[in-house]
Amino acid sequence: MLRAIQNRRTIRKLKAQSSLTVQEIKEILSTVVDYAPTAFHSQSSRVVLLMNEHHRTFWNMTEEMMKQVLTPEKFSLSQKKIKGYASGFGTLLFFDDEKVTEKVKNQKDPRFEQQFVTWADQSSAMMQFAIWTIFSEKGLGASIQHFNPHIDHACREKWGLPAEWRLIAQMPFGDIDEEPIQKETLPTDQKLKILE
């Protein structure tokens, strides 16, 4: 497990193929969706798997939306990255069902009321990390992207998703087309404090 965590990297240039079958991908997603922890067992996390034309449509929509909100210089940089994601095999969209989160929030101690959105995001993050790490271990490249909130409405409208689903992140994935850049990490003792 430690080796899988060490090997998981951000892959920005993907191939439109997968070393895993679609059935294997579905099994991974089903298992993680069923067993990833959620605050107060709220189970408010939602995942949408976009394949084939749906995957390409998502990245075309994203490119168009970014063109509208970014300066030409910033869009040029963003466009290059989007092309790398669009060339992948599929995309996962991660949401929180705010209707569920709100219901759980209203049933719990009001002193914690302001924390529920944070806890929902943390639950989604655990799900994202689990899927990403498993994909990496199986040879698939992936990354986490955040083009929301610019694309939220378009996604809900295009795929008929509930209005209360809040988009949190996007994960393009596929076979690796370019090795990741080696990055330096801060010394462990700057990030980890042990009190014995």
Side-chain angles (χ1 to χ4, degrees), residues 22-36 47-51 91-94 127 130-132 134-135 171 173:
V22 172
Q23 185 56 39
E24 288 171 322
I25 292 168
K26 289 178 181 177
E27 287 173 11
I28 290 167
L29 299 178
S30 296
T31 301
V32 174
V33 166
D34 284 344
Y35 292 99
V47 180
V48 174
L49 170 60
L50 302 176
M51 303 286 298
T91 298
L92 299 174
L93 304 180
F94 294 90
M127 188 175 289
I131 292 168
W132 192 358
I134 295 166
F135 277 2
M171 182 187 288
F173 65 90

Side-chain angles (χ1 to χ4, degrees), residues 30-59:
S30 296
T31 301
V32 174
V33 166
D34 284 344
Y35 292 99
T38 58
F40 293 97
H41 196 57
S42 66
Q43 302 178 76
S44 66
S45 296
R46 303 288 181 262
V47 180
V48 174
L49 170 60
L50 302 176
M51 303 286 298
N52 304 308
E53 195 57 39
H54 298 286
H55 162 76
R56 290 185 288 276
T57 297
F58 173 79
W59 290 107

Side-chain angles (χ1 to χ4, degrees), residues 36-96:
T38 58
F40 293 97
H41 196 57
S42 66
Q43 302 178 76
S44 66
S45 296
R46 303 288 181 262
V47 180
V48 174
L49 170 60
L50 302 176
M51 303 286 298
N52 304 308
E53 195 57 39
H54 298 286
H55 162 76
R56 290 185 288 276
T57 297
F58 173 79
W59 290 107
N60 288 339
M61 287 171 25
T62 301
E63 184 175 2
E64 282 303 310
M65 200 64 68
M66 292 300 102
K67 190 174 186 178
Q68 294 173 28
V69 299
L70 296 176
T71 64
E73 299 79 26
K74 288 186 178 179
F75 174 69
S76 179
L77 295 172
S78 187
Q79 186 180 37
K80 183 179 177 185
K81 290 179 181 178
I82 289 171
K83 298 276 187 217
Y85 310 141
S87 66
F89 186 72
T91 298
L92 299 174
L93 304 180
F94 294 90
F95 296 86
D96 179 61

